[in-house]
Amino acid sequence: MKTALITGITGQDGSYLAELLLEKGYKVYGLMRRTSLPNISRIKHILDKIELIDGDLLDQKSLNDAILSSRPDEVYNLAAQSFNETSWKAPEFTGNVNALGALRMIEAVKLGCNILGKQIRYYQASSSQIFDKPLESPQNEKTPFAATTNPYTTAKLYAHYTTVMYRKNHGMFAVNGITFNHESPRRGFEFVTRKISREAAKISLGLSNELLIGNIEGQRDWGFAGDYVEAMWLALQHSVPDDYVIARKRFC
């Protein structure tokens, strides 16, 4: 039986990935930051099938302990501060979680490989936003990065290159998945698709009379989160580690 550790297991992607890995016969651990009011609504139906471990991307020791106690074959680092607007309000926190948090996580994986004497495959959740304003469309794995739009994109690019660096310099099986937009009923209301659907429902009920959104000329690729987490899993099943663009179709 394979074992996997998922950070961000309470989020949209983490919950779908946990379900997928359970279906494939994995023992699933989830890293969960200790809070007074933990939000476990997305994983409530599988709590009896997974094991939650206290850990925080801001605390190296907790990550080391999580790796050594779970002894994973695969680690999926999905946890992040995920909102562009919040990254401007809290740039230091965003960098500490999204950039240095990824560094701490892969350091813990490297430590685990050495102490446990086994290869631990590592997946880093990268983001299509690191392409910034790309010079070509659709983007691919060779499209240049230019993450200067906000602190979120810059932190995500740091995490992306950190993963590449550890793969090249330490021989680790470390993979980046550059994901484009992916949605589901578990998507948070902070994201544009849920904002639109929620506001449309309020308008239909007479609770609102307008829908305000940003650039209506923008074009994005949208997919289903359940499909995207399968791509994450597939990325760790290859014989050689690499970086992959994950999108629904060749239109970005």
Side-chain angles (χ1 to χ4, degrees), residues 56-58 80-81 83-102 104 150-156 158:
D56 194 324
L57 291 182
L58 304 182
Q81 191 295 102
F83 308 115
N84 294 336
E85 183 178 350
T86 301
S87 76
W88 281 117
K89 295 177 181 177
E92 181 180 358
F93 175 75
T94 299
N96 209 349
V97 173
N98 293 6
L100 296 180
R104 295 183 190 103
N150 53 59
Y152 169 82
T153 59
T154 302
K156 275 294 188 179
Y158 179 98

Side-chain angles (χ1 to χ4, degrees), residues 5 9 18 53 85 94 104 123 126 159 170 184 210 221-222 226:
L5 173 65
I9 195 170
I53 303 175
E85 183 178 350
T94 299
R104 295 183 190 103
Y123 175 90
S126 191
H170 297 292
S184 77
E210 63 179 356
D221 178 273
W222 260 287

Side-chain angles (χ1 to χ4, degrees), residues 94-112:
T94 299
N96 209 349
V97 173
N98 293 6
L100 296 180
L103 173 64
R104 295 183 190 103
M105 192 70 246
I106 201 168
E107 265 291 310
V109 171
K110 180 167 74 75
L111 176 71

Side-chain angles (χ1 to χ4, degrees), residues 15 19 40-49 186:
S15 62
E19 290 176 345
I40 58 172
S41 59
R42 296 184 181 93
I43 58 171
K44 190 174 182 179
H45 62 295
I46 56 171
L47 278 177
D48 61 333
K49 300 177 182 177
R186 301 177 191 174

Side-chain angles (χ1 to χ4, degrees), residues 75-184:
V75 172
Y76 297 83
N77 186 30
L78 310 185
Q81 191 295 102
S82 303
F83 308 115
N84 294 336
E85 183 178 350
T86 301
S87 76
W88 281 117
K89 295 177 181 177
E92 181 180 358
F93 175 75
T94 299
N96 209 349
V97 173
N98 293 6
L100 296 180
L103 173 64
R104 295 183 190 103
M105 192 70 246
I106 201 168
E107 265 291 310
V109 171
K110 180 167 74 75
L111 176 71
C113 291
N114 293 333
I115 292 179
L116 300 175
K118 61 185 291 186
Q119 182 190 71
I120 302 174
R121 299 190 172 202
Y122 177 77
Y123 175 90
Q124 172 62 38
S126 191
S127 168
S128 62
Q129 292 194 46
I130 63 176
F131 291 124
D132 207 344
K133 298 176 182 178
L135 300 177
E136 61 181 357
S137 183
Q139 293 87 60
N140 58 54
E141 290 81 358
K142 298 185 182 301
T143 301
F145 302 132
T148 58
T149 301
N150 53 59
Y152 169 82
T153 59
T154 302
K156 275 294 188 179
L157 186 57
Y158 179 98
H160 182 100
Y161 277 133
T162 295
T163 304
V164 174
M165 177 181 67
Y166 274 67
R167 181 172 72 226
K168 290 184 175 181
N169 289 279
H170 297 292
M172 296 177 65
F173 197 106
V175 168
N176 283 298
I178 308 171
T179 54
F180 281 78
N181 296 66
H182 47 287
E183 314 293 330
S184 77

